[in-house]
Amino acid sequence: MKAFVPLALCLIIAGMLAAGCASNQNPATPVPTLIVPTTVLATQQQLSFTLGEKYLEKKYSFTSEKDQFTEPVRVTNEPWGIEFTVIPTNEDPQYTWFEIKVTQMDTGQTSTYGYGRTNSYEKHQLIPMYNGGPYTFEMKGNRVSVTVNIAKRNP
């Protein structure tokens, strides 16, 4: 009978541990979960300004990816901007795109803007520019007609 006492004690202790009676832990209380729907607002601020005296205003037509136009323009030190409006000539957006690469000739600084491909699909874009000097505008695209306006910004 003495041999069964340690075995019985082991079984009682094992049962208590399995039931959680000998545990120091507080019983788990479920944490209430609150799901709140969130709305993500576009933080891109659409700049609003108008263009005045023109440096360049021209319509370009791009029928294939090989079409490219280059325009040299000298701008004054007054704030200026680039405005372009894209009209796709194909219904499938994967084939329509436009890109304008702006290079400041004195510094070599280059910026690229556009429609489609890796750019937005916003058909009308207004880009503020600030520094004067000689610039080169390289434009290329595919299956789009684009009106480009480069001009001084109105106060």
Side-chain angles (χ1 to χ4, degrees), residues 32-147:
T33 304
L34 179 61
I35 299 175
V36 179
T38 58
T39 303
V40 178
L41 299 175
T43 57
Q44 257 186 353
Q45 186 180 15
Q46 183 70 355
L47 294 176
S48 179
F49 58 88
T50 58
L51 296 177
E53 186 180 337
K54 295 175 180 10
Y55 296 112
L56 172 75
E57 183 175 38
K58 199 168 182 180
K59 187 171 185 170
Y60 300 91
S61 186
F62 300 90
T63 56
S64 77
E65 294 192 14
K66 295 179 181 179
D67 293 341
Q68 184 171 342
F69 300 94
T70 302
E71 300 283 351
V73 176
R74 178 172 285 282
V75 298
T76 63
N77 286 330
E78 299 173 69
W80 57 286
I82 303 168
E83 175 183 38
F84 62 84
T85 304
V86 176
I87 299 170
T89 58
N90 187 298
E91 291 181 20
D92 192 344
Q94 73 177 344
Y95 297 115
T96 61
W97 59 272
F98 169 72
E99 187 175 270
I100 183 167
K101 181 176 162 185
V102 181
T103 304
Q104 210 289 349
M105 299 307 291
D106 289 340
T107 64
Q109 182 179 2
T110 300
S111 299
T112 304
Y113 309 97
Y115 163 86
R117 278 189 166 168
T118 59
N119 299 295
S120 79
Y121 282 92
E122 186 67 36
K123 293 178 182 174
H124 178 259
Q125 295 186 33
L126 196 55
I127 302 139
M129 303 297 280
Y130 301 94
N131 298 323
Y135 282 84
T136 299
F137 298 88
E138 296 175 37
M139 295 163 279
K140 52 188 175 179
N142 187 45
R143 298 182 185 182
V144 291
S145 175
V146 183
T147 301

